[in-house]
Amino acid sequence: MSVVMEPVIVIHGGARVIPGNTAPEKVEQYMLGLKVALESGFNILNDGGSALDAVMESVIFLEDNPLFNAGRGAVYTSCGTHELDAAIMDGRNRNFGATCTVKHIKHPVKLARTIMENSYHHIFSGEGAEDFARKHNLEFVKNSFFDDEDRYKELLKARPDGVIVRDHDLDPGAPKGMGTVGAVALDSFGNLAAATSTGGLTNKSCGRVGDTPLLGAGTFADNQTCAVSCTGFGEEFIKKLAASDIHAKMLYGHMPLDEAAEEVVFKHLEPDSGGLIAVDRKGNFTMPFNTPGMFRAYRTAAGDSSIKIWE
Amino acid sequence: MSVVMEPVIVIHGGARVIPGNTAPEKVEQYMLGLKVALESGFNILNDGGSALDAVMESVIFLEDNPLFNAGRGAVYTSCGTHELDAAIMDGRNRNFGATCTVKHIKHPVKLARTIMENSYHHIFSGEGAEDFARKHNLEFVKNSFFDDEDRYKELLKARPDGVIVRDHDLDPGAPKGMGTVGAVALDSFGNLAAATSTGGLTNKSCGRVGDTPLLGAGTFADNQTCAVSCTGFGEEFIKKLAASDIHAKMLYGHMPLDEAAEEVVFKHLEPDSGGLIAVDRKGNFTMPFNTPGMFRAYRTAAGDSSIKIWE
């Protein structure tokens, strides 16, 4: 297979971010977390690796980083537990793997990929997902492994009112940023892939399934058009089928990627509901959000790179 | 609100059906089951009721009928249990409610609607879904309530090879038909709705989530275009996002309903993978399938009505 494309990777760490007056050393930690995740994925692309491997690698780094709401550092459900969702999609063939409401899987995105590659099924939930993970020797942890003191405080604040929140909705001065994490990439073979992983929303009900593990809602990839990973109030992204609507606008409406993505984020989605990252098959990419900020970063083979939080 | 539309309802009872040489009295039972479900939904429309109430009513009748694979009479998972999925969607506002992998809810479609109307969330899985159901006083049953001897025999046949099957894939002479059930309707106010309910596939893995409870995969409704309910190998309908692709072809590609639905069923979906029912906002409807048959029926206010299995 001939190498024709200049690879590109785009990642996000959530559509609700730390306040603008956050201490510089704190900001630095977030920027560093994004940088490490970005570079780890980009290096795979740069070495001729696949978009699928790249997006998974970036998401694994973000799952491991307690600053972001996925894997370690995930938010709390109303039951005081952590329930994690993740998905991965291969643009070559629309293969898809996802898992929802798992409690003991260290890297949910790895389970999503294992499901995609080793099961006839696409989506596994709860204990069935963990049984599958056990058979495939994925790493298990106690639910308390995901604990984080600041996140727990957020739950305690949210509980009395039954509010369901993304980070900082309740306390603009809180020190921790979070939000779903995700990555999209185009590799040098012209293949697209997307991956997303999340702890969901603080104080979400137990058993709630968000947009992340749903093909077309929070995660999508198809070489015909684009790869997309979303972040925000998942219910809104499910209702609008945000990710695949971009694909449909491109495929049937012949819109360019940025126009399609902006229509979804600024016209269809409720204001202040979230954002997304997307890359098309020519390497064009976009990172629109209708929130005050979104942790995001990109890097192209041509050397163009950026890591941003606000604006 | 003025009454402008001639209402119509279309239902299905699965895309794998009984063999053509089935005893006439057996065939009669299936036809009767479809007829009762059809009339119950149609009567609601005819009395000026909503599409939402109509599709729910029809699906409840099919859930109660052990001949069909939803509610009582659902197929068995590889664990020897029953895990049920259901969804409902309101075309007026794209409100959506769904539940997956529940084991003790007598009418999963009622739970889907209760979620749609009483929760910020759209989808609940497993125990969390049942906790929600308990709080809203839905009817619980033992998992064995869904038992059926013939279905169990199908599981025993499927197990040794690890085959995942729809009805009769293993035994063309088997006496029981099944498959996902669903309904779509247009009411006299011009509103569309869709509902789907299923036991999934015989010998499916525990924790597997099919297309039924996923907006855009197995269930979809939007007054802008159409309402859709799918049946067949759910994984294929998830991968192709079958239901919402019809919507997208209509909305962005300006295709009529039948053309859009046929493209999905005969060009995008794998042969012999299933079928769907769909109605558009003008009352046009279609029932394409790429299997040897599909239990299906429709009735319009003008008096046009039909109940079919094969052809």
Side-chain angles (χ1 to χ4, degrees):
Chain A
M1 195 186 284
S2 62
V3 176
V4 289
M5 303 300 295
E6 292 285 338
V8 53
I9 185 163
V10 188
I11 67 171
H12 71 75
R16 270 296 166 104
V17 299
I18 49 177
N21 61 0
T22 302
E25 56 272 28
K26 205 75 201 162
V27 174
E28 198 54 40
Q29 286 179 29
Y30 286 98
M31 301 291 272
L32 183 64
L34 290 168
K35 186 180 167 62
V36 170
L38 182 73
E39 296 301 324
S40 65
F42 180 77
N43 288 341
I44 287 174
L45 296 175
N46 209 35
D47 292 345
S50 72
L52 208 55
D53 286 341
V55 294
M56 187 169 85
E57 189 74 359
S58 288
V59 168
I60 287 170
F61 272 83
L62 292 166
E63 285 180 341
D64 280 336
N65 189 332
L67 292 175
F68 301 97
N69 174 23
R72 215 174 129 224
V75 298
Y76 289 81
T77 67
S78 61
C79 317
T81 54
H82 308 277
E83 293 189 353
L84 311 176
D85 297 349
I88 193 163
M89 189 162 176
D90 185 341
R92 287 176 299 183
N93 44 23
R94 290 177 69 127
N95 269 353
F96 181 76
T99 185
C100 55
T101 65
V102 292
K103 294 181 185 170
H104 308 98
I105 307 298
K106 189 176 181 188
H107 293 111
V109 72
K110 285 189 188 175
L111 174 53
R113 178 142 182 198
T114 306
I115 289 167
M116 181 176 85
E117 294 179 344
N118 295 280
S119 174
Y120 169 78
H121 302 315
H122 293 320
I123 311 177
F124 277 87
S125 73
E127 287 173 25
E130 298 199 355
D131 289 343
F132 183 88
R134 206 167 284 115
K135 283 177 198 150
H136 289 83
N137 301 311
L138 286 164
E139 194 171 355
F140 276 67
V141 291
K142 288 186 178 170
N143 196 250
S144 60
F145 168 83
F146 304 112
D147 282 357
D148 179 282
E149 207 184 312
D150 291 324
R151 297 278 150 85
Y152 192 67
K153 285 181 191 160
E154 289 163 11
L155 174 66
L156 296 181
K157 277 180 208 159
R159 262 182 176 163
D161 301 322
V163 198
I164 296 157
V165 288
R166 290 166 303 183
D167 189 41
H168 306 307
D169 280 7
L170 291 174
D171 183 354
K176 290 239 166 194
M178 60 212 227
T180 301
V181 310
V184 295
L186 172 72
D187 63 29
S188 55
F189 307 102
N191 295 319
L192 294 167
T196 317
S197 183
T198 190
L201 303 169
T202 292
N203 203 30
K204 68 178 182 182
S205 301
C206 285
R208 173 260 195 183
V209 180
D211 64 316
T212 294
L214 307 183
L215 192 161
T219 307
F220 186 83
D222 187 327
N223 276 5
Q224 287 183 95
T225 53
C226 60
V228 185
S229 173
C230 302
T231 169
F233 280 118
E235 280 68 17
E236 182 64 7
F237 287 77
I238 292 172
K239 192 171 180 174
K240 306 293 166 64
L241 218 50
S244 69
D245 198 25
I246 297 174
H247 156 81
K249 284 174 189 289
M250 292 176 73
L251 188 64
Y252 303 127
H254 308 293
M255 269 190 199
L257 176 75
D258 56 348
E259 197 181 318
E262 279 170 22
E263 237 183 54
V264 167
V265 172
F266 300 111
K267 291 189 185 170
H268 301 337
L269 293 171
E270 292 289 327
D272 206 29
S273 60
L276 57 85
I277 54 173
V279 58
D280 74 11
R281 62 201 180 87
K282 292 182 178 170
N284 301 304
F285 62 91
T286 183
M287 309 179 290
F289 52 93
N290 58 32
T291 44
M294 180 170 80
F295 292 113
R296 62 203 188 278
Y298 68 85
R299 181 159 175 190
T300 72
D304 193 9
S305 185
S306 173
I307 303 174
K308 286 188 177 175
I309 301 178
W310 306 281
E311 172 217 8
Chain B
M1 196 185 284
S2 61
V3 175
V4 289
M5 303 302 295
E6 292 285 338
V8 52
I9 185 163
V10 188
I11 68 170
H12 71 75
R16 269 297 166 102
V17 298
I18 48 178
N21 61 359
T22 302
E25 56 272 28
K26 205 76 202 161
V27 174
E28 199 53 42
Q29 286 179 29
Y30 286 98
M31 301 291 273
L32 183 63
L34 290 168
K35 186 179 166 64
V36 170
L38 182 73
E39 295 302 324
S40 64
F42 180 76
N43 289 341
I44 288 175
L45 295 176
N46 209 36
D47 292 345
S50 72
L52 209 54
D53 286 342
V55 296
M56 188 169 84
E57 190 73 359
S58 288
V59 168
I60 287 170
F61 272 84
L62 292 166
E63 285 180 341
D64 279 337
N65 189 330
L67 292 176
F68 301 97
N69 174 24
R72 213 173 131 226
V75 298
Y76 289 82
T77 66
S78 62
C79 317
T81 55
H82 308 278
E83 292 189 355
L84 311 176
D85 297 349
I88 192 163
M89 189 163 176
D90 185 342
R92 286 176 299 184
N93 45 24
R94 290 178 70 127
N95 269 353
F96 180 77
T99 186
C100 56
T101 64
V102 292
K103 295 181 186 171
H104 307 98
I105 307 299
K106 189 177 181 188
H107 293 113
V109 74
K110 285 190 187 173
L111 175 53
R113 180 144 181 196
T114 307
I115 290 167
M116 181 175 84
E117 293 178 345
N118 296 281
S119 174
Y120 168 79
H121 302 314
H122 293 319
I123 312 177
F124 277 88
S125 73
E127 287 173 25
E130 299 198 356
D131 289 344
F132 184 88
R134 205 167 284 115
K135 283 178 198 151
H136 290 84
N137 301 312
L138 286 164
E139 194 171 355
F140 276 68
V141 291
K142 288 186 179 170
N143 196 250
S144 59
F145 169 83
F146 304 111
D147 282 357
D148 180 282
E149 205 184 313
D150 291 324
R151 297 278 151 85
Y152 192 67
K153 284 180 192 160
E154 289 163 10
L155 174 65
L156 296 181
K157 277 181 207 156
R159 261 183 178 163
D161 300 323
V163 197
I164 297 156
V165 287
R166 290 165 304 181
D167 190 40
H168 307 307
D169 281 7
L170 289 173
D171 183 356
K176 291 238 165 192
M178 61 209 227
T180 301
V181 310
V184 295
L186 172 73
D187 64 29
S188 56
F189 307 102
N191 295 319
L192 294 167
T196 318
S197 183
T198 190
L201 305 168
T202 292
N203 203 30
K204 70 179 181 181
S205 301
C206 284
R208 174 259 195 183
V209 180
D211 64 318
T212 294
L214 307 183
L215 192 161
T219 307
F220 186 83
D222 187 328
N223 276 5
Q224 287 184 93
T225 54
C226 60
V228 184
S229 173
C230 303
T231 169
F233 280 117
E235 280 68 17
E236 182 65 6
F237 287 77
I238 292 173
K239 192 171 179 175
K240 305 292 164 66
L241 218 52
S244 69
D245 197 26
I246 296 174
H247 156 80
K249 284 174 190 288
M250 293 176 72
L251 188 64
Y252 303 126
H254 309 292
M255 271 190 196
L257 176 75
D258 56 348
E259 196 181 319
E262 280 170 22
E263 235 183 56
V264 166
V265 172
F266 300 111
K267 290 188 185 170
H268 300 339
L269 292 171
E270 292 289 327
D272 206 29
S273 60
L276 56 87
I277 53 174
V279 57
D280 73 13
R281 63 201 180 86
K282 293 183 178 170
N284 301 304
F285 61 91
T286 183
M287 310 178 290
F289 51 93
N290 59 32
T291 44
M294 180 168 80
F295 293 113
R296 61 203 188 279
Y298 67 86
R299 180 156 176 194
T300 72
D304 193 11
S305 185
S306 173
I307 302 175
K308 287 188 176 174
I309 300 179
W310 306 281
E311 172 217 6

